[in-house]
Amino acid sequence: MAASSTSFRVLPGFGLSLGYTLGYLSLIVLIPLAAVFFKAGSLGFEHFWDAATSPRVLASYRLSFGASLIAAAINAVFGLMLAWVLVRYSFPGKRLVDALVDLPFALPTAVAGIALTALYAKNGWVGSVLEPLGIKVAFTPLGVLVALVFIGLPFVVRTVQPILEDLDTEYEEAAVSLGASRWQAFRYVVFPTLFPALLTGFALAFARAVGEYGSVIFIAGNIPMVSEITPLMIITKLEQYDYAGATAVAVVMLIFSFILLLIINGLQAWTAKRTGRAR
């Protein structure tokens, strides 16, 4: 019997599925974002500019975006190392370590912030050791960085780990048998394959860090012009019923986040194309 030319699928046809997808995406993402930009557009340029570029708000931009970029870079390095150890080595407690990587996903952000503050305060386990050395973590910008590193690490590990698991070690062994050192085998054989996934993890960690609030406000100290993050500025303006100012700051955050993520995603696509792994 000839096979039927009709292809049966669990989901509806392309047109209906696309309609559902666009409708759902519009309700959840596009319409709220459009409302924010519409509200900002009704302020007038002068009012918008004054609200978005006040000295206190500019200081919060520098802290939020600067700390987020640094935290994402730190997580890219150490997340790669952690994923490598989990994939390439067997050791006692490996499953426990693998489970602990997901702890920032499951732990409420407020609980994480309180725990980090208690740990890094001057009378905490770690803070009491760092304080005599002149290193103060809690209630400083360094505390913000620590919190952002904590919540962003799983994004890098879980993005890189599946790629490492699928990577055949025979390629490395072949490179070593041809005279390459272990570092050269990693640099020229393994890393080009991992780099797009590493950039993806970096972008995810950065995006999460920029909007993080709960785990940061406790350890930051929230000192004006020093350790205030931009999400806190938005909350503060909302509590003061300054909805226009909160909207202006939110729009600036959205624009800068989109630009940075587009740059990272473009670099990822370029890397994948250059290495012959573009879809």
Side-chain angles (χ1 to χ4, degrees):
M1 180 182 293
S4 174
S5 59
T6 303
S7 177
F8 293 98
R9 296 179 177 86
V10 176
L11 295 178
F14 173 74
L16 192 56
S17 296
L18 181 61
Y20 283 139
T21 301
L22 293 178
Y24 182 79
L25 184 64
S26 298
L27 288 173
I28 301 300
V29 179
L30 298 181
I31 292 178
L33 291 182
V36 172
F37 281 95
F38 180 78
K39 176 67 176 178
S42 65
L43 300 178
F45 180 77
E46 185 176 354
H47 190 185
F48 174 87
W49 184 258
D50 290 340
T53 60
S54 66
R56 189 172 172 181
V57 173
L58 289 176
S60 74
Y61 293 152
R62 288 191 291 269
L63 178 60
S64 289
F65 287 101
S68 297
L69 283 171
I70 296 172
I74 293 173
N75 281 327
V77 175
F78 291 97
L80 174 59
M81 293 175 60
L82 182 53
W84 184 276
V85 170
L86 290 174
V87 172
R88 293 298 178 89
Y89 301 103
S90 296
F91 53 90
K94 177 179 177 179
R95 291 189 177 183
L96 177 61
V97 174
D98 193 43
L100 287 175
V101 170
D102 293 326
L103 184 62
F105 285 150
L107 197 66
T109 55
V111 175
I114 294 172
L116 291 172
T117 304
L119 189 63
Y120 286 97
K122 65 179 181 179
N123 57 346
W125 289 352
V126 179
S128 60
V129 176
L130 297 177
E131 188 77 14
L133 301 176
I135 303 174
K136 187 176 181 181
V137 178
F139 315 125
T140 67
L142 183 57
V144 175
L145 180 63
V146 169
L148 297 183
V149 169
F150 174 79
I151 58 97
L153 179 63
F155 291 94
V156 177
V157 176
R158 295 311 185 207
T159 304
V160 174
Q161 193 173 0
I163 308 301
L164 267 175
E165 290 173 346
D166 293 338
L167 187 63
D168 199 334
T169 57
E170 291 181 356
Y171 296 107
E172 298 172 65
E173 294 170 357
V176 172
S177 67
L178 293 174
S181 65
R182 287 292 179 182
W183 167 250
Q184 289 174 325
F186 174 81
R187 170 66 179 84
Y188 296 105
V189 177
V190 178
F191 189 71
T193 303
L194 295 179
F195 190 57
L198 192 62
L199 275 178
T200 301
F202 176 89
L204 292 173
F206 167 76
R208 170 67 190 274
V210 166
E212 180 60 20
Y213 176 76
S215 64
V216 176
I217 56 171
F218 294 100
I219 196 172
N222 308 320
I223 303 172
M225 305 293 292
V226 176
S227 59
E228 272 187 331
I229 57 173
T230 305
L232 177 62
M233 291 298 306
I234 297 174
I235 296 296
T236 301
K237 289 180 179 295
L238 289 175
E239 290 175 346
Q240 296 171 350
Y241 301 101
D242 184 9
Y243 300 118
T247 303
V249 175
V251 166
V252 172
M253 282 200 73
L254 281 172
I255 292 174
F256 275 100
S257 297
F258 281 146
I259 291 173
L260 287 172
L261 288 176
L262 283 174
I263 292 173
I264 294 169
N265 289 332
L267 182 59
Q268 178 191 358
W270 173 80
T271 304
K273 182 178 180 181
R274 186 184 179 195
T275 55
R277 295 178 178 87
R279 293 182 179 179

